[in-house]
């Protein structure tokens, strides 16, 4: 029972740390950096920043998770993830069907 209580407290602490970290991070600055460095449209840069911040709160991502979370088509989700890998924000691991992504950029 003590172990269960400790796990619950750790989850609450992790949730709290993510929530205050999200409030202190400047998404707009990252968006402007992406626009300036890779010359992409502001609307696309905003979507990529949202994916980066979502990825920071997860150990690893799959294309399916991004599709579900952002209501994207599979083709669009794969294209966004490929862009984030080529920009150096994510690292791809595994083959096509078992591909997972890990965060290389820490937004916190």
């Amino acid at each position: 029972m003590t172990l269960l209580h400790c796990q619950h407290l750790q989850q609450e602490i992790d949730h709290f740390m993510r929530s205050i970290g999200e409030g202190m991070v400047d998404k707009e600055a990252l968006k402007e950096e992406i626009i300036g460095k890779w010359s992409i449209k502001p609307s696309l840069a905003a979507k990529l920043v949202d994916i980066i911040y979502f990825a920071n709160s997860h150990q690893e991502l799959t294309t399916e998770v991004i599709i579900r979370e952002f209501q994207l088509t599979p083709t669009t989700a794969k294209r966004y993830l490929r862009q984030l890998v080529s920009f150096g924000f994510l690292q791809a691991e595994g083959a096509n069907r078992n591909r997972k992504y890990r965060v290389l950029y820490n937004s916190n």
Side-chain angles (χ1 to χ4, degrees), residues 60-76:
E60 60 186 23
L61 292 176
T62 61
T63 305
E64 291 76 24
V65 170
I66 296 299
I67 291 168
R68 191 173 45 247
E69 182 68 25
F70 294 96
Q71 289 84 42
L72 300 172
T73 65
T75 303
T76 301

Side-chain angles (χ1 to χ4, degrees), residues 32-39 87:
E32 293 301 320
E33 177 186 336
I34 290 173
I35 292 169
K37 197 170 187 178
W38 290 286
S39 301
F87 294 165

Side-chain angles (χ1 to χ4, degrees), residues 25-38 40 45-46 48-53 56 84 89 105-108:
V25 174
D26 188 6
K27 284 185 173 184
E28 194 64 32
L30 181 57
K31 183 176 109 177
E32 293 301 320
E33 177 186 336
I34 290 173
I35 292 169
K37 197 170 187 178
W38 290 286
I40 61 174
L48 295 177
V49 168
D50 288 340
I51 292 171
I52 291 167
Y53 280 85
N56 269 322
L84 290 171
F89 291 104
Y105 175 84
N106 186 1
S107 64
N108 294 329

Side-chain angles (χ1 to χ4, degrees), residues 9-23:
L9 288 175
Q10 186 61 50
Q11 287 175 347
E12 291 294 319
I13 291 168
D14 292 342
H15 177 72
F16 174 75
M17 294 304 287
R18 280 194 305 271
S19 70
I20 63 168
E22 290 170 1

